[in-house]
Amino acid sequence: MSSADSKKAEIELKPTVLTRGEHGISRSEISDNALKVLYRLNGAGYEAYLVGGCVRDLMMGLHPKDFDIATNATPDQVKAEFKNCRLIGRRFRLAHIVFGREIIEVATFRGHHENAPEQSPNQDKKKPEQLGKQNRDGQILRDNVFGSIQEDAERRDFTVNAMYYRVTDFTVTDFADGMSAIKNKRLDIIGDPDTRYREDPVRMLRAVRFAVKLNMTIAEESVESILRLSNLLSNIPPARLFEEVLKLFVNGCGMENYKLMQKFGLIKPLFPQLAPLLKDPQSRESQFIEQVLINTDNRINTGQRVTPAFLYAAFLWYPIEEHCEKLVAEVGLLRFEAFNIAINDVLHRQIQRIMIPKRFSSTMREIWHLQLSLPNRLGKKAYQRLEHPRFRAAYDFLLLRGQIEGGKLLELADWWTEFQEVSPEQRKAMLVKLREEEGGPPRRHRRRKPKKKPSSQ
């Protein structure tokens, strides 16, 4: 019996049914497309409920971004009901019902792994399909064991996420006393914390995100487990962690999430090259990361666009700089050559933990390379830098570095700030002054030699 199954008996939930008057959720607050899916599944004879974060947010007076549905219909049965359905995932088999830009996610009730059949009924006996699978640490690697709504609630992560809204009678079934958790502003995990975090270490990141978003305190026993088990995040597939990290840092609460992650030791398993540089909260590295996150939050909260490339470029900048200096000192490489090698080395190590799509890593490289190019401004180079498609991002990056480090770097950032704002004539004057300050000779126009007249033969 797995560790998860041995703890199953401890997760005996007692559901409470709340009437419409007791929970106050109105259909007018629910996505029309989510209602369509609920009505269609109910009409086909299946149970279907709104579940998880959308119910929690509605109960708290918030506006859900997504509406998820749980049902006793299997993914294939869901697909048979909707032409606009696609099935995704191997670890968790899900149905996505696509309505233009909105996707309604439909999951079949999860069951306990002790109930898993040895193979799927439709599967060739020579090639059995393992519906449920865990590793030695108790982490769930495959979770396509289906069960009842009671079992599904027991498999949910936090008590505030185990509430199910039924559109047929407008009731909410609260399986884990989520209402009390909301009232007491306390984030409790369902069941034994060690077991549940071992099952899926990403729940540690979700605990941080929910605590900040919902203004809740994480239960003490959960905190103790997170501190002990944070290293298990190293076992999560890098592609999955990319999305989870975005949810933490590109949601308008990135700075608060970062502080809590630092407190619980969750930065090290995600950014192992950066973590040693953040031990001193007064270091330039710590101040730089915090200022980047503050600026990112401000942009998101004022409706401005942000790109993950800038954020990841910031998180990896000082590890690259440190590795570059080491290559110059120990190997004797030229700085530009060492810088390119450092970028490749640091990126390679990072994507072992968090997979960064090429569309972002390419932009990151351009931002980094421009940090070396921006000091070189003489002649036409200043104008060439200004026309570079990544100039604005690289300039913002330089400005942040200058604000943190000061000195020559801040002077350079201020120069570029002025160069962007002044007239063309003033730009020329700035470049003449720069050439004089750097000790270069004034530009001389060479006389063209007169063309030789062809000799007449």
Side-chain angles (χ1 to χ4, degrees), residues 25-32 34-35 38 50 58 67 165:
I25 295 176
S26 169
R27 278 178 298 174
S28 63
E29 301 169 307
I30 300 172
S31 159
D32 289 340
L35 291 172
L38 290 170
L50 280 184
L58 290 171
F67 290 86
Y165 173 85

Side-chain angles (χ1 to χ4, degrees), residues 65-80:
K65 291 183 179 179
D66 304 300
F67 290 86
D68 296 337
I69 291 172
T71 178
N72 63 346
T74 66
D76 288 330
Q77 288 171 331
V78 174
K79 185 174 176 61

Side-chain angles (χ1 to χ4, degrees), residues 66-68 86 95-105:
D66 304 300
F67 290 86
D68 296 337
R86 63 174 182 235
H96 277 182
I97 318 296
V98 182
F99 297 91
R101 293 187 177 182
E102 184 178 20
I103 295 176
I104 305 299
E105 187 171 279

Side-chain angles (χ1 to χ4, degrees), residues 93-367:
R93 196 69 168 158
L94 297 168
H96 277 182
I97 318 296
V98 182
F99 297 91
R101 293 187 177 182
E102 184 178 20
I103 295 176
I104 305 299
E105 187 171 279
V106 181
T108 305
F109 294 148
R110 302 293 174 196
H112 294 293
H113 284 210
E114 64 180 5
N115 300 331
E118 292 185 2
Q119 65 183 50
S120 173
N122 299 324
Q123 194 78 8
D124 185 341
K125 291 185 179 180
K126 293 181 181 179
K127 298 180 180 179
E129 179 186 8
Q130 197 167 11
L131 301 178
K133 183 180 179 182
Q134 290 177 272
N135 66 12
R136 292 180 180 178
D137 293 323
Q139 181 181 339
I140 294 176
L141 304 177
R142 182 163 296 186
D143 193 15
N144 292 311
V145 181
F146 303 139
S148 65
I149 186 173
Q150 176 80 22
E151 290 175 304
D152 189 75
E154 291 168 359
R155 294 292 313 282
R156 296 273 156 186
D157 48 12
F158 301 100
T159 60
V160 292
N161 292 336
M163 294 185 284
Y164 296 67
Y165 173 85
R166 185 162 64 178
V167 75
T168 53
D169 59 6
F170 316 122
T171 60
V172 169
T173 304
D174 182 358
F175 279 90
D177 203 13
M179 288 293 287
S180 292
I182 290 173
K183 181 179 179 181
N184 298 324
K185 292 188 173 295
R186 175 184 165 98
L187 191 68
D188 287 296
I189 200 163
I190 297 173
D192 174 67
D194 273 21
T195 302
R196 303 312 305 281
Y197 289 131
R198 286 183 184 277
E199 284 179 351
D200 186 3
V202 168
R203 287 172 179 153
M204 293 184 272
L205 301 181
R206 287 165 62 84
V208 168
R209 182 158 55 88
F210 291 150
V212 171
K213 175 184 175 180
L214 306 175
N215 191 26
M216 289 183 170
T217 301
I218 301 176
E220 187 176 341
E221 55 270 27
S222 267
V223 171
E224 293 171 358
S225 292
I226 292 172
L227 291 170
R228 280 197 304 273
L229 303 175
S230 60
N231 63 301
L232 293 180
L233 281 168
S234 304
N235 299 333
I236 299 298
R240 186 181 175 204
L241 281 179
F242 177 75
E243 294 297 331
E244 293 298 332
V245 170
L246 284 192
K247 291 176 184 177
L248 284 160
F249 294 136
V250 191
N251 68 349
C253 302
M255 182 59 183
E256 291 301 312
N257 286 327
Y258 169 78
K259 286 181 179 178
L260 217 50
M261 290 173 72
Q262 275 284 73
K263 181 179 178 181
F264 297 154
L266 295 172
I267 295 293
K268 184 177 180 180
L270 299 177
F271 297 96
Q273 299 170 96
L274 173 65
L277 306 179
L278 302 177
K279 291 180 179 179
D280 179 5
Q282 300 304 317
S283 68
R284 64 174 187 173
E285 293 85 356
S286 293
Q287 292 181 53
F288 180 64
I289 295 300
E290 290 183 9
Q291 193 58 55
V292 167
L293 290 170
I294 290 170
N295 289 5
T296 300
D297 288 344
N298 288 339
R299 290 183 66 87
I300 292 171
N301 294 325
T302 55
Q304 299 180 69
R305 181 178 171 273
V306 298
T307 172
F310 191 93
L311 193 66
Y312 277 96
F315 273 64
L316 299 180
W317 169 253
Y318 284 112
I320 288 172
E321 193 174 59
E322 182 182 64
H323 189 37
C324 176
E325 296 301 330
K326 186 176 180 181
L327 289 171
V328 170
E330 296 182 2
V331 186
L333 296 175
L334 295 175
R335 180 168 173 77
F336 183 77
E337 185 181 2
F339 188 69
N340 282 326
I341 294 173
I343 286 176
N344 291 333
D345 287 349
V346 170
L347 262 180
H348 176 73
R349 292 170 192 160
Q350 182 59 48
I351 63 176
Q352 308 305 309
R353 295 297 176 89
I354 302 175
M355 179 58 68
I356 304 173
K358 190 173 181 180
R359 66 183 185 276
F360 296 129
S361 62
S362 297
T363 300
M364 291 159 58
R365 288 176 181 274
E366 290 179 290
I367 291 173

